[in-house]
Amino acid sequence: MHKDVLFTGSVDPVRPLPRDSETSEISPTRDYVLDELPADLAAVAQERMTLADLVDKQSGVLEQALPGISLLDDLAAARVAQLDLLFMLAGFSAFGVPGSETVPRLLTDTISGQCARFPELDPHMSYELLVDVNSEEWERHGRMRVFSEGETGRLERDFYLGHYLAEPKVRAAYRRICALLMEPDLAEPAVLLGGAHRQLDEFRLLMAQYGKLSKDSFNSFRRYHLGHPGGPRGASGAFMPSVQLLELVLLPPTEEYGVYLDQSMPYFPVWARPLIAEWRKRSGDGLNVTQAVLDGSLKLDQEAAGTLLRVIDKFTDFRMIHLGVTKKVIPDAFTGGDGLTRKEIAVQGEERNIMGGENPGTSGFDVRNVLTNSVYRLLTVRQEIQAFHDMTD
C-alpha cells in the first residue's frame, strides 16, 4: 500500500489526511512533539539552545498539558499520549544519561503516573509505541513522530513505517505454519507452505529497502533509541514479534535463543508476549515443523518438502539481508569482518554469546552474535531436514 514511499523522501512526515481525528485520541502534547521537538533537538545539538533551556520549555509544555492528560480514560488514547511523553524523554538521550537535573522532573513523574493508571503502558520507548502506535497515528492523521528535521525526518519516518508495513507479511507466514502444525491431517502442506513462502518473499523485499538508508542518516536518529547503562533496552527492530513467532513454529528454541527471549520479553509488544511465551513452550516440547518432520508426525510429499526448504531459505535470505544492512549502518559492531558469509556461519559450530561484546546494537545485545546465531540456527535445521528427506526418498 505504501511501499513506494519508503526511503524516497516523496511524502512529507507532516501530511494532512482527510481521516477521522476524534479529539479523544489527540495527545495533549502532540502539537509540541510533532511541530517543535525536532527543531528543539537540532538547536541543542547545534548549541543554539542549552539542555537547561529545553528542560524549562518542556516543563512549561507539560504544565499546560497535565489537565488534559489527567482526563484520558481510554487505553488507546493513553498509548498515544505515552508515545509523546516518551519521545520527549528520549530526546535527552543523545545528550547524556538522563538525570534529575537534565530531564524535567514533571516529565518522569507524568510517565510514571500514566503507567500507574494504565498498567498496560510501557514505561520506556518500546517497539510497539515507536513503530505500531506511531504508524497507526500516521495512517489516521497523517502525522508521524520523528526526532529529526527535513530529509532526515522523512527517512526516519520511513524507518518506522517500513517495519510497520512489513511485519504483517511475516505474521501471515507464521499463521500458515501454525495451521500446518495444529491440524496436519486437514491441512494441505504444499499450499500452506507455498503461501508462507510468498509472504516471506514480500517481507524480505520490504526489509531489503533498508539497504538504501545511509549510515549517517540512520545513526542521526538511532542515538535517540540507545538504552542507558542499567536502564531499559532501546527500541529496536530486534523486538519485531512475528519474526520470533515464525522461528518458534519452524524450529525448537536453543539455549542461546532462550537467553535472547528471556531478555527480550518485556520489550515485545504487549499482545505478543503471551503468544511468544506459549509458542516457546510448545516448540520446546516438540511442536515445531523441524521436529514434526524428523519424528514423522508431519509427513510431506516431495513437493511440500521442497517448499519447506524454500521457506527456510527465504527466512535465511531475510536474516542475511538484516545482517548486511546492520553491518552497513553499524560497522563498529562487526570488527574483524570475517565469518559473515553463509558458508562461514554454517560451519561456526555453535551459537555465540549474545550478552557480551563492546559494540552492542540498539537492543543492547551483541548485534553480530544475535544476527549470525539466527542464520546459524536456520542453516542447521535446513541441513537436518534435507538429510532426512534424502535418506527417506
Side-chain angles (χ1 to χ4, degrees):
M1 168 167 74
H2 298 293
K3 183 163 52 175
D4 60 320
V5 308
L6 298 183
F7 304 116
T8 65
S10 61
V11 180
D12 192 89
V14 177
R15 178 173 62 90
L17 286 178
R19 305 287 290 273
D20 71 281
S21 58
E22 292 87 347
T23 56
S24 64
E25 294 185 357
I26 294 179
S27 160
T29 55
R30 183 183 86 160
D31 290 346
Y32 170 72
V33 172
L34 287 171
D35 299 332
E36 298 183 51
L37 180 62
D40 285 350
L41 296 176
V44 173
Q46 297 163 16
E47 299 184 346
R48 293 181 285 108
M49 175 187 281
T50 67
L51 278 177
D53 292 336
L54 185 60
V55 169
D56 288 344
K57 180 173 182 179
Q58 290 195 3
S59 296
V61 170
L62 286 165
E63 286 173 2
Q64 292 186 347
L66 275 179
I69 292 173
S70 67
L71 291 174
L72 295 174
D73 58 4
D74 174 75
L75 179 59
R79 284 191 196 278
V80 179
Q82 191 80 340
L83 171 67
D84 282 336
L85 293 170
L86 290 169
F87 249 85
M88 293 169 68
L89 181 64
F92 290 91
S93 64
F95 309 109
V97 178
S100 59
E101 72 284 355
T102 57
V103 174
R105 177 64 180 271
L106 189 55
L107 176 57
T108 55
D109 286 350
T110 303
I111 291 169
S112 298
Q114 286 298 96
C115 289
R117 292 179 62 210
F118 299 95
E120 303 89 342
L121 293 181
D122 289 313
H124 52 266
M125 182 65 82
S126 64
Y127 177 95
E128 184 172 22
L129 288 170
L130 182 67
V131 172
D132 295 339
V133 174
N134 201 6
S135 295
E136 287 163 5
E137 283 296 288
W138 185 85
E139 289 197 318
R140 183 178 295 114
H141 305 299
R143 309 299 298 273
M144 177 72 86
R145 277 78 170 165
V146 293
F147 294 100
S148 315
E149 295 184 290
E151 176 64 15
T152 302
R154 285 186 284 272
L155 294 171
E156 184 183 349
R157 173 215 61 194
D158 288 357
F159 185 81
Y160 307 147
L161 182 61
H163 284 78
Y164 176 74
L165 297 176
E167 202 266 352
K169 304 295 184 182
V170 69
R171 193 183 309 177
Y174 145 74
R175 286 173 174 161
R176 289 176 186 272
I177 303 296
C178 278
L180 180 64
L181 280 173
M182 300 305 289
E183 297 184 294
D185 295 333
L186 300 178
E188 297 182 62
V191 173
L192 286 170
L193 289 166
H197 181 268
R198 288 190 296 274
Q199 293 290 345
L200 273 175
D201 192 42
E202 292 181 28
F203 175 66
R204 175 189 64 86
L205 290 172
L206 281 169
M207 298 305 288
Q209 294 191 64
Y210 287 102
K212 301 176 184 177
L213 190 62
S214 73
K215 171 187 170 184
D216 289 344
S217 294
F218 174 71
N219 282 287
S220 68
F221 56 83
R222 175 181 177 250
R223 59 183 177 163
Y224 296 107
H225 304 308
L226 297 175
H228 298 285
R233 297 181 183 277
S236 167
F239 305 126
M240 180 186 280
S242 296
V243 172
Q244 315 312 324
L245 289 167
L246 178 61
E247 172 155 344
L248 288 169
V249 297
L250 277 175
L251 56 144
T254 62
E255 181 178 352
E256 197 64 37
Y257 186 50
V259 172
Y260 164 79
L261 292 175
D262 287 339
Q263 294 288 323
S264 299
M265 193 61 74
Y267 301 97
F268 293 127
V270 172
W271 66 264
R273 294 171 198 171
L275 198 55
I276 290 172
E278 175 187 351
W279 271 106
R280 179 183 182 180
K281 184 178 188 309
R282 286 181 169 184
S283 187
D285 290 343
L287 187 60
N288 60 75
V289 168
T290 298
Q291 290 182 244
V293 167
L294 297 181
D295 67 20
S297 59
L298 179 61
K299 301 186 185 306
L300 303 179
D301 60 22
Q302 187 174 4
E303 178 187 4
T307 307
L308 172 58
L309 292 175
R310 288 193 291 276
V311 167
I312 295 172
D313 289 341
K314 196 61 67 176
F315 198 10
T316 308
D317 288 345
F318 155 69
R319 292 294 199 183
M320 289 299 296
I321 287 170
H322 191 185
L323 176 62
V325 170
T326 306
K327 185 176 184 296
K328 172 186 173 182
V329 296
I330 319 177
D332 290 345
F334 294 83
T335 53
D338 60 342
L340 299 180
T341 67
R342 289 186 200 225
K343 184 176 180 180
E344 290 170 321
I345 294 171
V347 299
Q348 73 181 33
E350 62 182 2
E351 293 182 63
R352 295 172 178 172
N353 180 18
I354 65 170
M355 299 302 293
E358 298 179 358
N359 296 291
T362 308
S363 61
F365 299 113
D366 183 308
V367 63
R368 177 191 178 117
N369 289 350
V370 165
L371 296 176
T372 56
N373 284 354
S374 66
V375 174
Y376 177 77
R377 291 191 296 269
L378 289 169
L379 294 175
T380 300
V381 299
R382 190 201 192 282
Q383 186 177 34
E384 291 174 355
I385 292 172
Q386 179 71 69
F388 174 82
H389 279 287
D390 288 347
M391 182 179 66
T392 56
D393 259 357

